[in-house]
Amino acid sequence: MDAGSLSSVSASKTKSRCPLPEQYLQKRNSRDNLDRFIPNRSAMDMDYAHYMLTEGRKGKENPAVDSPSREAYRKQLAETFNMNRSRILAFKNKPPTSVEAIPNDFSSSVHQQAKTAKPRRYIPQTSERTLDAPDLVDDYYLNLLDWGSSNVLSIALGSTVYLWDASDGATSELVTVDEEHGPVTSVKWAPDGRHIALGLNNSDVQLWDTTANRLLRTMRGGHRSRVGALDWNNHLLTTGGMDGQIINNDVRVRWPIVDTYQGHNQEVCGLKWSASGQQLASGGNDNLLHIWDRSMASSNTSTEWLHRLEDHTAAVKALAWCPFQGNLLASGGGGGDRSIKFWNTHTGACLNSIDTGSQVCALLWNKNERELLSSHGFTKNQLTLWKYPSMVKTAELTGHTSRVLFMAQSPDGCTVASAAGDETLRFWNVFGTPEVAKPAPKANPEPFAHLNRIR
């Protein structure tokens, strides 16, 4: 046989052998041609499988007549214990339960906190009322505006003091002082909301009964020049003058001067008693801030200050005691300082200082929130609301066209009145409405507390 026939025979043999291994491999790799399934015991509920193969079939083969309530109970029981499954064998494990990035209990607590979070208060950017204030003296060192506890606002315009009743908007004139005595340089309501003290340019201090519209007394001889700062501590009227003196006057007695404080060498332009009545803060045109202790006061000699604070670099007029922390005082500096500083009056330490960028004319704390309001001069002539203690600006209120010299707060703590050199008096709803106090929940009564005895 020649080589050609041999090669053809070998080729035919090779072709006849190849299809079988290929077909075998194809069957081996294909899962579609397998003829049986092997269940996975670890993925099966063996107790349920045994029940379905024995007891579970009895009900289907020999159905019994059950009452509707019994049938409903059986179905509910089957759903509860997952007995409605039709498959007995399991051929693979169930996929693992997905792991949540945030646990349900945590996300629900966050959602609950978000629901209970206090909504952000809306702060109107414009004044709700504007009144004319002609002849308002544009003098940084005076204090010509105050809001009494009886909800009556007092403002000194030149030599005349006007009263504006916030409850009905009625305006009345209290007094016009003589030219040789005026103008009026300071006003301050007594705590009772009925009596008011007036400081005059000629160094006199007058005490008026606004209900009877009657002058009760004039105190003379304490100061040698104008009285630009006043504050009350119960029956004590504290006065500060251009002569640098601070005097405590007991308005109940004939000779009223009981204490004197000497520490300023220039005009006293800021006076504020703490809520406890134990500490007095005074600021002056000498850039000094003094803290005086009532217990150290002496009627025979000049009282020594508790702290002499020299951090400000301009006149210190704006003073405000914190309503929620008794030893915290905020002070504001004039045009050369432009800062608000916070003090621990027990230790005399400066806790913080913020550069506001403009002259600080007045400061008021929010009685309902931890916020501080400041009024300013050039360039914006704005009122700025700060969040305490972060001192982040919450709002800036503009409208005045000259420096905002004076601010006063309504008795409920919500509305602020501001008076500026532009001879306008504006009212701002900046501190919002105070929350109504919720009644305290009643304690759970003891069992049978409503019975006198148990039989």
Side-chain angles (χ1 to χ4, degrees):
M1 187 176 294
D2 58 4
S5 62
L6 286 173
S7 61
S8 62
V9 172
S10 63
S12 63
K13 287 183 180 181
T14 304
K15 288 180 181 179
S16 63
R17 291 196 188 106
C18 288
L20 184 60
E22 290 176 358
Q23 186 176 7
Y24 171 74
L25 291 174
Q26 184 177 359
K27 282 187 177 182
R28 189 174 180 179
N29 292 333
S30 175
R31 300 183 61 178
D32 297 335
N33 297 326
L34 297 178
D35 56 353
R36 65 175 180 168
F37 300 95
I38 301 175
N40 186 351
R41 283 180 173 268
S42 64
M44 292 191 304
D45 186 347
M46 301 303 294
D47 293 334
Y48 173 73
H50 180 268
Y51 169 79
M52 289 298 295
L53 291 173
T54 56
E55 302 296 329
R57 296 295 178 184
K58 294 181 180 179
K60 294 184 178 180
E61 295 174 358
N62 302 310
V65 179
D66 293 332
S67 64
S69 59
R70 186 179 182 85
E71 182 65 19
Y73 172 75
R74 187 189 63 79
K75 290 182 179 180
Q76 186 175 1
L77 192 65
E79 290 177 1
T80 302
F81 291 100
N82 196 19
M83 296 172 62
N84 290 328
R85 295 171 289 172
S86 59
R87 179 174 293 181
I88 298 176
L89 302 179
F91 302 99
K92 60 181 178 180
N93 291 322
K94 292 182 179 180
T97 305
S98 61
V99 179
E100 296 182 359
I102 301 177
N104 283 331
D105 54 350
F106 178 77
S107 60
S108 62
S109 64
V110 171
H111 180 67
Q112 185 68 21
Q113 290 178 4
K115 288 178 66 178
T116 57
K118 189 176 181 179
R120 186 174 180 179
R121 186 177 81 252
Y122 170 70
I123 302 172
Q125 298 299 302
T126 57
S127 57
E128 61 179 357
R129 183 193 294 259
T130 303
L131 302 177
D132 288 329
D135 300 326
L136 180 73
V137 180
D138 187 0
D139 192 327
Y140 176 79
Y141 303 101
L142 305 184
N143 293 272
L144 305 178
L145 182 70
D146 194 31
W147 204 328
S149 59
S150 59
N151 206 19
V152 177
L153 186 82
S154 62
I155 185 169
L157 302 178
S159 297
T160 305
V161 176
Y162 292 93
L163 305 180
W164 182 79
D165 193 333
S167 59
D168 57 10
T171 304
S172 60
E173 179 181 327
L174 176 65
V175 61
T176 298
V177 299
D178 297 335
E179 290 186 4
E180 61 268 23
H181 297 156
V184 178
T185 52
S186 55
V187 297
K188 191 66 179 180
W189 284 99
D192 61 5
R194 174 178 176 176
H195 300 93
I196 190 170
L198 310 179
L200 304 183
N201 191 58
N202 71 337
S203 77
D204 287 352
V205 177
Q206 295 183 353
L207 183 60
W208 284 78
D209 183 345
T210 59
T211 304
N213 202 29
R214 182 168 61 96
L215 176 63
L216 298 179
R217 67 182 302 177
T218 300
M219 293 175 284
R220 297 185 176 96
H223 295 280
R224 298 185 302 272
S225 55
R226 71 178 186 181
V227 179
L230 301 169
D231 201 25
W232 289 86
N233 185 2
N234 294 322
H235 56 273
L236 286 180
L237 174 61
T238 305
T239 61
M242 184 181 275
D243 55 8
Q245 281 200 103
I246 301 170
I247 299 175
N248 282 342
N249 300 273
D250 189 340
V251 298
R252 303 171 300 177
V253 298
R254 184 173 183 178
W255 306 107
I257 299 177
V258 292
D259 306 311
T260 59
Y261 304 114
Q262 291 185 352
H264 294 280
N265 52 44
Q266 293 190 40
E267 182 169 14
V268 177
C269 50
L271 282 177
K272 281 290 186 297
W273 280 100
S274 63
S276 65
Q278 293 301 311
Q279 290 186 329
L280 172 68
S282 66
N285 193 32
D286 51 8
N287 309 345
L288 295 177
L289 171 63
H290 285 99
I291 307 298
W292 311 87
D293 195 305
R294 179 77 182 93
S295 61
M296 298 168 60
S298 172
S299 59
N300 298 324
T301 60
S302 177
T303 302
E304 183 71 14
W305 58 77
L306 179 64
H307 299 295
R308 182 184 179 100
L309 308 172
E310 304 177 1
D311 294 35
H312 283 289
T313 57
V316 184
K317 176 196 173 186
L319 299 170
W321 290 92
C322 179
F324 51 83
Q325 188 173 337
N327 64 327
L328 177 61
L329 175 72
S331 62
D337 181 88
R338 306 185 306 274
S339 71
I340 299 174
K341 299 184 186 298
F342 298 91
W343 308 89
N344 181 336
T345 59
H346 289 343
T347 63
C350 183
L351 305 177
N352 195 9
S353 181
I354 300 296
D355 186 357
T356 66
S358 59
Q359 181 184 48
V360 182
C361 301
L363 292 171
L364 287 175
W365 287 95
N366 186 347
K367 298 178 182 178
N368 309 309
E369 301 282 346
R370 298 202 170 199
E371 295 173 336
L372 180 70
L373 183 68
S374 57
S375 69
H376 299 271
F378 183 79
T379 60
K380 293 183 179 180
N381 306 311
Q382 84 281 13
L383 281 71
T384 303
L385 184 64
W386 309 84
K387 193 71 177 176
Y388 184 83
S390 65
M391 293 306 288
V392 174
K393 287 184 183 180
T394 305
E396 277 196 351
L397 311 177
T398 57
H400 285 292
T401 57
S402 182
R403 56 182 180 174
V404 187
L405 294 167
F406 319 112
M407 287 198 303
Q409 192 173 13
S410 62
D412 62 4
C414 300
T415 306
V416 170
S418 61
D422 57 9
E423 298 187 344
T424 62
L425 177 63
R426 295 176 182 266
F427 296 85
W428 311 84
N429 186 18
V430 61
F431 287 149
T433 304
E435 294 183 357
V436 179
K438 297 180 180 178
K442 295 181 180 179
N444 293 328
E446 294 294 329
F448 311 109
H450 62 287
L451 299 176
N452 293 329
R453 62 178 183 273
I454 302 176
R455 297 180 180 178

